Amino acid sequence: MDRSVNYFYTSCTRSDGWPSISRFHADLEYRLRAQEGLWVSGVLGPQTGSGPVLESTITQVGVMLALYSREYFADQNCGLEWAVFQRRMRRHSELSNSDVSECLVPIVWEPVPRDLRPRDTPDPEWPCGAEWDDGHGIRQYDSQGLSGLMRSDSPEANETYFSLIGELAKRIAEAQRCGLTVIESAELRDTQPAFGYKSHARQATPTRKPVAAGPGPIGRDTTARTPCPAVPSVPVAISYVGADQPWADWMEEVLEQGGHYEVRQVRWETERESLAETVQRARLLAGRVVVVFSRSYFTAGATQLLDWETVFVGPGKEWLIPVQIDQGARPLLVRSGVPVTLLNGSDEREAQRLRELVREPGPPVPGQREGDTP
């Protein structure tokens, strides 16, 4: 086994909610590593531009996940990735006379009616097994899509989401064993996108500037209206680990555009500083610190059990605002007595919850869960 080869590629567009897509990709990668081994990894699509991605990854990886949505099918770069992968599958079938259709895994990220999808795109199949004989999980998935399951507060949706992650990990591992034919990038210069009319720039999130307008009602554009009274500028720091960079970027954008905050990102340099040192570094930069709790954050660094209690438990911690972005189990000593808000996605509803937390740290908001174990 060539352990340097990635197992899967997530084909997607940033327009569908980059933090939520990143969380899905990370959850799937985590499950696959637990199943197959720590050397296994995946590649998350729109990060460095389609040219470099096509030359280094999509021509070699064994499995592609396509996150279906209206935005996905409108994106030319996604259409190009699709065309390249289909070309590889056809080449493999011609050479080996075998079926490799399992190497392409369509996912319902957001429901798209069949008549609005490009021709020859296969229907996404329900990837879970017999435990969902009653059809409940299937109905949720078909009606809400994967992004809807991730945003939902219901235990049933959460159970469905993680069952889906488990089944996808099994499918990817099985499809990877097909050994899909690799095509040299030079052969692909004449490949045209299979669909799409938008050419989305696939670059890192640009530097953002605070806007003058105040926050408006959810789902309503207020940029052309009379600005609300200015909110006093409040320094806020975001403490996070590198794996959660998309979430830090999203939170910075939400707070700057919605509340006139001065936002500083403070990445935990796990090789050089302890948990207490990174949180204190954030504290020195701002009066309020949003800590991005996640499975990656809980397993980073050489953190001891008592370190969590020292940093997060006790009086005088009103400036700390822990926000959790996945279902990773919190360390024992912060499972009770530490108010933690679980974000179920990156839509406007969750953005408003984040703004409310930072404006009034301490009091719980709808959806806040104190002391429960994910």
Side-chain angles (χ1 to χ4, degrees), residues 6 24 33 89 101 103 127 177 214 285 315:
N6 295 294
F24 160 69
R33 284 175 175 169
M89 291 170 61
S101 58
C103 293
R177 298 184 181 99
L285 293 174

Side-chain angles (χ1 to χ4, degrees), residues 350-364:
E350 300 302 275
Q352 186 60 28
R353 292 177 63 204
L354 178 63
R355 296 183 193 114
E356 291 171 358
L357 278 172
V358 174
R359 286 195 192 103
E360 299 181 8

Side-chain angles (χ1 to χ4, degrees), residues 263-280:
V263 183
R264 306 276 186 88
Q265 290 190 18
V266 181
R267 180 171 173 169
W268 183 0
E269 299 176 3
T270 55
E271 300 296 323
R272 299 168 48 187
E273 60 185 353
S274 66
L275 172 66
E277 288 171 335
T278 190
V279 174
Q280 181 60 25

Side-chain angles (χ1 to χ4, degrees), residues 16 25 79 118 163 165 171 179 189 211 230 250 273 284 318 343 360 364:
D16 280 329
H25 181 88
S163 294
I165 291 290
R171 287 188 59 180
R189 300 186 190 280
V211 296
W250 176 77
E273 60 185 353
L284 293 174
E318 294 80 8
L343 291 183
E360 299 181 8

Side-chain angles (χ1 to χ4, degrees), residues 141-188:
Y141 179 65
D142 287 343
S143 63
Q144 303 175 39
L146 184 57
S147 63
L149 292 178
M150 295 174 71
R151 291 192 301 268
S152 175
D153 291 325
S154 77
E156 293 80 11
N158 185 60
E159 183 180 358
T160 300
Y161 171 71
F162 280 102
S163 294
L164 188 147
I165 291 290
E167 290 300 319
L168 282 176
K170 294 176 186 176
R171 287 188 59 180
I172 290 171
E174 184 175 350
Q176 166 72 10
R177 298 184 181 99
C178 294
L180 191 64
T181 298
V182 174
I183 297 181
E184 296 297 328
S185 58
E187 295 186 54
L188 302 171

